Amino acid sequence: MEKDAGRITIRSPRDARSWKLAPLETSPCTLACPTRINARGYVSLISDGRFAEALALIRERNPFPGVCGRICPRPCEAACTRGDRDEPIAICALKRFVFDLEMKRGINPTAPARAHRAEKVAVVGAGPSGLAAARELALLGYPVTVFEAKDRPGGMLNLIPAFRLPPAVVARETRAILEAGIELVAGTEFGKDITWKRLKRRGYRALLLGTGAWRPVWKWGAPGIMGVAHAIDFLRYAALEVEDKRVVVAGDGMMALDCSRTAVRLGARSVTLVIGRSRELAPVRAEDLVQAEKEGVKTLFLARPARVATKGRKLAGISFVKLEEGRPDATGRRDTLEITGSEFTGTADIFVDAYGRAIDVKGFASALALSMTPAGALAIDPATSAVGAEGVFAAGDLVTGPRSVVEAIASGQKAAYRIHHYLSGETIESPLDLTIDGGIAHREYTLEAAAGVKDLRGPMPLETAAKRMKDFNETEKGYASQAARREAGRCLRCGPCGECEVCVDICEKKDFMMRLGEDGAIHVHAGREFWSSTPDRVILELGSERAEAVPIRTICKVDETLCVGCGRCADLCGYKAVQVEARPGGRFVARVDELACKGCGSCAAVCPTGAIDQRNFDHASVMKRLEGISSSRAKVLFVCHWARPERLDLPRDVLVIETMCAGRVPPRFIMEAALRGSRKVLVCGCADEDCHYGFGRSSASRVVEQCRSLLRLFGFRSEIVTEISTNPDEFALAVNKWAWKSK
C-alpha cells in the first residue's frame, strides 16, 4: 500500500464522488518560498476567518508581509498544486489582505525582543536583507545596531513606485522591525563614517554587510549625456523632466516596467519598453505587462539597444538590433542571439537604461580583505556566510547579485543563524534548511478531490487604466474579506500542517482513520467536503486491486455511563464543541457537537472518569482485538498515537494497538491482555514534558503499577507488564529491544 500510495483512488459506493490518496509531504508552496513560510497554514487560517493569527503565522518567517504581498515574484504560486487543476491559490494576495486589514484597523504589529546576550552585532544596510537579519538576531537575544547610509530604512524598497508599493507600507514594516529593540543609525556610510575597526573597539563582536546592489551598470552610452538616465537615478530622483517627451526604456525586469509606468504617470507623450525576450519568456509577470500596456506603454520584444547616438552631450537617437531566442539548454534556459543585419533606429527624447545593477564595496573591500566572484558579487563561505576578516558576514544582493526581495530576506535570515552559531557555538535548526525528504510524515496521507469542475481564482480588483495613468495611487485594491476567505478555501491543503499549536482548530491532520481489516490502518487528512457527509465505507482502488475500508473520523465522543458532568471538558474546549447538559433526575452529562469538534483530544485529557475518548480509539474495538490473542500474537504493544515511531521492525508475534495517549490506556486493557495469555505487555509513550496532554509518563506508570499489583494478587507474573517513555529518537530502539527479547 505505502509503496504505490500516490496512485490510490478512493470512491464512495453510494454516490459518484472520488478522491486521490497521496502521501503527505511538506507543502510545495512552503518548499518553493525562500523563507520557508507556512503558506498552507496561513491560507487555511484565512479560510476560517482567523485573520490576525494568519498574519502572526506569516510574520514568524517573513517580517515584510505587506511588501511581499505586493511585489513578490510568487514562487509559491508557481509551485501550487492547485495550478495543475485550474489556477494556483492567490497566496501572495492573501498575505497582503491580512496585512492591509491590520493596517486599516490601526493595530501595532511590534513584538519587542529582549536582548539577553552580551555580544553586540552591527548590521550595515537597512534594506530587506539587513533588516531581516537584524530581526532574527534580536529575537535570538542579541543587541543589534543597523547602520544605514541614507536617511531612512528600506533600501531598494524605497525605489519601487507608489502605485505598486505605497511608501506607507514600507514605513510601517520597517518601523515594526526596528521597534522590536533594534537601533538604527541613519546617514552613516560604512567605510567612511564608521569602520569595522572602530566598531570592534566599541564592543561589537560580529558584522553583517547587507548594502545591496546600488551601483548603476551602464551598457548603452555613458553617464552625463543629457536625456540619458539609469533606472536607479530615474526612480530615485525622477531626475528627468518627461512631460510631453518621447521616452524609451530598455530592460528585461520589473525595474524597467516600473520606469515605463512611472514615465506614463509623469506625463510622457509616448513610452516604449524594449524587452530582450519574447512575451512568453519575459521575466516579468504577464498580468503586470498587460496592465502596463493598458496604461499606454508600448512594448517591443526581442530587441535591445545597440548604441546611443549623441549630438554634443545631448541624446540624438538610439540604434536597436533584433534578437532571436535559441534552443533551450540542459537547464531549460534559452540564449538570445542577434540577428545579423537587423539593426534599426528609433527616436527618443529620453532614454532610460534599466539593464544592470552591481555592488560597490570599494570603500571597505581592502580593510575587510574581501574578494569578488567572477560574476561581480561578494565571495562568501557558503557554509558560514563569512567573508574576509574574522567576524564579518554578508547577505542579500551583495552576495547573490540583484534578486527578489523575498530572496534577500531569506539570505539575511540565513546569515543571522550563522552569526548566532559563530558567537554562541549553538546550532539551532533553521527553517531555511527544510527539505522535502525531511517532511514526509509516517503513514499519513492527504485526500485530494479528483479532477472535475474547475474553480478559478478570484480576480484582483484593479483601478481602471484611465485613472491609473493620472496618479501614483496603488493600482491593485486588494481582496475584501469574503473574497479572501473564498480564495483561501480553494486550497487543497496538500501537505501536513507543521503548526498544530497555531491552527489546531482548522487543522484536519489525522482527521480520519481508514481501517482495513484488523491491523491495517492509515491516517488521512481530509477536507470538509469529505467529512461533512462521511461515507460509512469506501472502496480503495490500486490498479486492478480493490479493498474496502471503514473511515472513522477522529472526533471525540462521551460515554454517558461514565460521565459525571463535572464540566472540565467544556471549560477547556476553545471551540465550544463540548457542552454540559441537564438530564432528568438532576443528572448532568457532557455532549460533543460533532460539527464543531476538531478532534484534538484535549477534553479527553482532562476527563477524570475516562468518559471521553476519540472515536478512532473506541474501547469496544480494542477489546475485540484483544480477544484474538493467541500463541501467534502473544506480545501486546500499546503505543502512543502521537509519538509512534516512524519505523518499527517488529516480529510477527507482536499485536500493536495504537492508543490516544500512553497515559490513557485503561487498566482493563492491560489486564485483558495479560489474563488472555500474553507473554509480554508494553505501554510505550512520551515523557511528561513531551506529552501532547501533559501527563503521559506519570499516568502510564501509575496504571502499570496498578496492573502489576492486581496480577500479583491473582497469582500471575507481574513483570510481564512494563512501561517505557523516551524521546522520539529513541522510541524505535527501545520498542525493538523489548519486542525481540526472548523473555
Side-chain angles (χ1 to χ4, degrees), residues 637 639 645 648 650 654 682 684 724 730-740:
L637 168 63
V639 63
L648 283 176
L650 299 178
V654 177
L682 175 66
C684 177
I724 60 172
E730 298 175 357
F731 263 146
L733 180 63
V735 171
N736 282 328
K737 184 177 179 180
W738 168 86
W740 289 99

Side-chain angles (χ1 to χ4, degrees), residues 251-275:
D252 295 339
M254 284 303 300
M255 183 170 278
L257 199 59
D258 284 345
C259 289
S260 302
R261 299 177 75 181
T262 296
V264 169
R265 286 160 172 77
L266 292 176
R269 184 198 313 174
S270 67
V271 180
T272 302
L273 174 59
V274 182
I275 301 175

Side-chain angles (χ1 to χ4, degrees), residues 485-534:
R485 292 189 64 175
R486 182 195 175 281
E487 177 60 27
R490 296 175 59 243
C491 178
L492 295 175
R493 301 183 184 181
C494 50
C497 180
E499 308 292 339
C500 292
E501 295 182 5
V502 177
C503 52
V504 66
D505 63 328
I506 56 146
C507 173
E508 296 160 353
K509 185 178 182 182
K510 296 183 177 68
D511 195 38
F512 273 90
M513 176 182 285
M514 293 285 187
R515 190 176 295 285
L516 301 89
E518 181 183 286
D519 294 330
I522 55 177
H523 297 294
V524 178
H525 169 97
R528 290 180 175 84
E529 74 282 352
F530 180 85
W531 63 252
S532 60
S533 56
T534 312

Side-chain angles (χ1 to χ4, degrees), residues 28 71 82 154 184 200 205 258 317 452 537 553 574 597 624 694 707:
I71 65 170
R82 182 89 205 194
L184 173 68
K200 285 192 290 185
R205 292 282 309 282
D258 284 345
R537 64 188 180 92
R553 190 173 170 215
C597 179
K624 185 176 180 180
C707 292

